[in-house]
Amino acid sequence: MKIKKGFAKRAIAGSNIVVPVGRKNAEFNGMITLNDSASFFWDCFCEDITVDEAVKKVTDEYDVDEKRAREDIENFVKLLRDNDLVDE
């Protein structure tokens, strides 16, 4: 699974913002604000990885148990899917 092309994440005034670029502007009108965890998750899914691989990255980077990391990532992935932001 991977974030679709056409989105750019930028740090603006201390916030992590995702905006559509190019043709995605016509399809997705708005912006997404990510907290620090969601920003890390977003970065994980900018490459083609599985949920299991993302969980491993999160548990390697943060002091969080696997169960909590998996729940958070699965919730994040659901939001991505609900908003048609990933290629699977």
Side-chain angles (χ1 to χ4, degrees):
M1 166 180 342
K2 183 177 180 180
I3 301 286
K4 287 185 175 183
K5 291 182 181 184
F7 293 94
K9 184 183 82 161
R10 299 288 184 259
I12 300 172
S15 295
N16 299 299
I17 307 293
V18 174
V19 294
V21 294
R23 293 182 187 171
K24 284 293 178 192
N25 255 332
E27 298 171 22
F28 188 93
N29 188 9
M31 67 179 182
I32 303 164
T33 303
L34 304 172
N35 65 22
D36 289 339
S37 296
S39 178
F40 186 86
F41 300 165
W42 182 275
D43 292 343
C44 288
F45 288 103
C46 282
E47 57 185 86
D48 192 11
I49 66 171
T50 66
V51 168
D52 289 340
E53 291 167 328
V55 168
K56 175 79 170 111
K57 285 184 174 219
V58 170
T59 57
D60 286 349
E61 182 72 21
Y62 294 102
D63 183 24
V64 61
D65 65 75
E66 184 178 336
K67 180 181 177 192
R68 177 62 190 259
R70 183 170 302 281
E71 288 173 4
D72 289 349
I73 290 170
E74 287 176 352
N75 287 332
F76 183 75
V77 167
K78 181 180 181 328
L79 289 171
L80 293 175
R81 285 178 174 146
D82 288 351
N83 289 283
D84 194 29
L85 298 174
V86 289
D87 287 324
E88 299 195 60

